[in-house]
């Protein structure tokens, strides 16, 4: 089994165990230090899916920003610190790959998960995304994937220390 990190690195099963231990340590540090709650930007033009993910993640203690369009998502992404983006592929006016490309151009360190009910998206649609997540994933599985992506983000992001209240530095 191979795992793709937000920085494009691939890990094999044996490496994943070592990485998992490091992620657990990062999670403990993140939960015990002075950092704010991780911020997840959820983007979907279907209100039911958007609202369901908002409720799911807020119930686990995350701060959740919601956007029902690509334009709204780009505005939130530019104006609010964001730790992870969950982005629907099929959006009106501009598909998720176009939105992801704009986001990566301004903040390449923020992981973007492309969501779709379609299992067979073209490879070009995933070039700016760090991971693909099927909308058919169970809530439990989705939570595990999100927690892992956030662990990797905090593990590989420089820590600024007390000057920023313990927040990780935004690169952009």
């Amino acid at each position: 089994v191979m795992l793709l990190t937000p920085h494009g690195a691939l890990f094999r099963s044996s490496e994943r165990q070592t990485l998992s231990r490091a992620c657990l340590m990062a999670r403990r540090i993140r939960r015990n230090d002075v950092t704010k709650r991780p911020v997840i930007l959820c983007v979907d033009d279907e209100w039911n899916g958007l609202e369901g993910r908002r409720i799911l993640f807020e119930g686990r203690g995350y701060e959740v920003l919601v956007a029902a369009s690509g334009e709204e998502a780009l505005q939130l992404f530019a104006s609010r610190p964001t730790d992870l983006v969950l982005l629907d592929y099929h959006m009106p006016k501009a598909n998720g790959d176009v939105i992801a490309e704009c986001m990566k151009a301004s903040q390449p360190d923020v992981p973007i998960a492309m969501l779709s009910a379609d299992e067979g998206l073209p490879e070009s649609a995933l070039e700016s995304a760090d991971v693909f997540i099927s909308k058919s994933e169970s809530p439990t599985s989705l939570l595990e994937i999100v927690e892992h992506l956030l662990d990797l983000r905090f593990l590989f992001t420089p820590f600024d220390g007390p000057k920023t209240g313990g927040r990780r530095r935004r690169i952009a």
Side-chain angles (χ1 to χ4, degrees):
V1 175
M2 301 294 281
L3 176 70
L4 181 65
T5 71
H7 299 285
L10 289 173
F11 293 94
R12 297 198 184 285
S13 297
S14 60
E15 295 168 319
R16 187 176 180 186
Q17 289 177 343
T18 302
L19 183 61
S20 292
R21 283 193 291 274
C23 287
L24 285 173
M25 188 174 5
R27 188 179 302 152
R28 282 190 207 111
I29 291 168
R30 184 178 72 213
R31 288 184 180 152
N32 292 329
D33 67 9
V34 292
T35 62
K36 295 180 182 177
R37 297 183 304 162
V39 178
I40 300 172
L41 172 57
C42 294
V43 186
D44 199 328
D45 60 316
E46 294 179 15
W47 180 250
N48 289 337
L50 192 60
E51 185 65 8
R53 285 187 285 280
R54 184 189 64 76
I55 291 168
L56 178 69
F57 297 128
E58 284 181 349
R60 290 295 285 243
Y62 297 109
E63 182 179 344
V64 180
L65 307 173
V66 295
S69 71
E71 182 179 325
E72 186 181 1
L74 289 172
Q75 289 172 351
L76 281 170
F77 190 74
S79 65
R80 300 280 308 269
T82 304
D83 297 306
L84 174 66
V85 178
L86 297 177
L87 178 60
D88 182 30
Y89 175 72
H90 294 289
M91 301 280 290
K93 297 185 183 175
N95 280 337
D97 58 337
V98 175
I99 306 304
E101 188 175 335
C102 292
M103 290 176 169
K104 283 293 185 181
S106 67
Q107 296 181 52
D109 63 314
V110 176
I112 298 175
M114 190 70 69
L115 300 171
S116 181
D118 297 341
E119 298 292 329
L121 293 180
E123 277 190 43
S124 62
L126 301 174
E127 287 179 2
S128 294
D130 297 292
V131 68
F132 170 81
I133 302 173
S134 173
K135 284 188 173 182
S136 65
E137 290 287 344
S138 70
T140 301
S141 181
L142 181 59
L143 282 168
E144 288 174 3
I145 293 167
V146 163
E147 184 74 26
H148 191 73
L149 288 169
L150 287 168
D151 286 344
L152 289 172
R153 168 154 168 74
F154 290 112
L155 185 64
F156 291 110
T157 302
F159 182 72
D160 275 355
K163 290 191 295 186
T164 59
R167 279 300 275 184
R168 273 64 181 176
R169 178 176 47 228
R170 283 183 64 161
I171 301 170

